[in-house]
Amino acid sequence: MTSVLEVENLRFSFDGRTEVIRGVSFEVRPADSLAILGASGAGKSTLLWCVLGLLPARGTVRILGAPRTRASLRHVGVVFQNPEDQLFMPRLLDDVALPLINRGVEVEQARTRALSLLERLGLAGACHRPASQLSLGERKKAAIAAALIASPQLLLLDEPTAELDRRSARSLTQELLALPMSLVLATHDLELARTVCRRALVLRSGAVMAEGTVCRILDDPALLERAELI
């Protein structure tokens, strides 16, 4: 079975001298769910940017068995830590429809599909409002809708529960559990990782210090202490 994502020996430095991503390798299979865990500054977000090609890392990234290209990235949805990076149109409906329109889907058809997805996420009542008028939890859900609209086979999420209150975090977690595609979550939210993901990779100073099932990783307090996660 072809992997959804393969990352081999990924390395990156901002200044050309000190590596902040140091030889990271991992694989994501179909219907898999991987938590990339690490304290603030461990390199989680930088790793996702390198995987997406937004930073010029060395190493190999394959998507569905093929080298990462603009075409293969069409199979990947992304939810950034700050939903404002993805939601900027005058209406939420247009934010969610935009990825389809950019792929050549007729505008009204794209909006119809976007409205259906917003209804599923409980956001139909906000479809004609700008994202700036929504709560943070609603904006996070809307960003997920924008990432899901093109039916990706892999969804990458950067700190999806960051700054959310407990109720909003629980609601978002339930939405993630219902998703059918492979997931990669960069997070330091251990409860989210345990609930949503099957496997975990622990980063420290840009390098992998442990990898295994979520239960094995999270039930090792000495490991979590070394990783500065507790």
Side-chain angles (χ1 to χ4, degrees):
M1 186 180 295
T2 301
S3 296
V4 177
L5 175 66
E6 297 172 84
V7 175
E8 295 179 7
N9 195 30
L10 210 61
R11 297 180 177 274
F12 174 71
S13 170
F14 285 105
D15 60 10
R17 297 186 301 273
T18 304
E19 288 187 335
V20 295
I21 298 297
R22 301 186 291 137
V24 173
S25 299
F26 64 91
E27 181 181 20
V28 179
R29 308 287 288 181
D32 201 358
S33 49
L34 175 69
I36 299 176
L37 302 176
S40 296
K44 303 185 300 297
S45 298
T46 302
L47 175 59
L48 291 189
W49 282 56
C50 289
V51 167
L52 291 166
L54 299 175
L55 292 173
R58 292 178 289 123
T60 301
V61 177
R62 297 186 186 90
I63 298 169
L64 296 173
R68 182 194 59 216
T69 61
R70 177 176 290 185
S72 64
L73 282 169
R74 284 175 171 256
H75 300 289
V76 181
V78 184
V79 179
F80 296 109
Q81 182 172 348
N82 298 314
E84 293 78 9
D85 293 339
Q86 294 171 263
L87 307 173
F88 48 81
M89 300 289 281
R91 300 189 305 170
L92 185 61
L93 181 65
D94 295 320
D95 277 315
V96 178
L98 185 61
L100 290 181
I101 295 170
N102 286 341
R103 296 185 184 201
V105 176
E106 195 272 333
V107 171
E108 288 309 312
Q109 182 183 352
R111 287 175 175 165
T112 298
R113 289 170 59 178
L115 181 58
S116 176
L117 185 53
L118 287 170
E119 286 175 345
R120 193 181 99 196
L121 294 174
L123 293 172
C127 68
H128 294 297
R129 294 160 56 193
S132 60
Q133 295 182 4
L134 306 182
S135 70
L136 179 57
E138 290 172 327
R139 294 199 301 273
K140 295 257 188 178
K141 284 187 179 181
I144 290 176
L148 293 180
I149 192 68
S151 302
Q153 296 191 45
L154 172 65
L155 185 62
L156 306 182
L157 302 104
D158 188 5
E159 297 287 6
T161 57
E163 302 180 57
L164 292 183
D165 59 58
R166 293 178 65 86
R167 183 173 183 177
S168 297
R170 285 197 302 270
S171 175
L172 188 62
T173 297
Q174 292 306 307
E175 298 296 344
L176 296 178
L177 284 169
L179 297 179
M181 71 284 295
S182 299
L183 300 176
V184 175
L185 276 65
T187 185
H188 62 262
D189 184 337
L190 303 186
E191 181 179 350
L192 174 71
R194 188 184 291 275
T195 303
V196 173
C197 295
R198 299 174 185 171
R199 297 189 301 114
L201 178 152
V202 182
L203 283 185
R204 183 179 181 186
S205 300
V208 177
M209 64 178 297
E211 185 175 3
T213 65
V214 163
C215 290
R216 184 180 73 79
I217 295 294
L218 297 187
D219 291 341
D220 185 342
L223 170 63
L224 298 179
E225 184 76 34
R226 293 197 304 276
E228 301 178 11
L229 285 165
I230 60 173

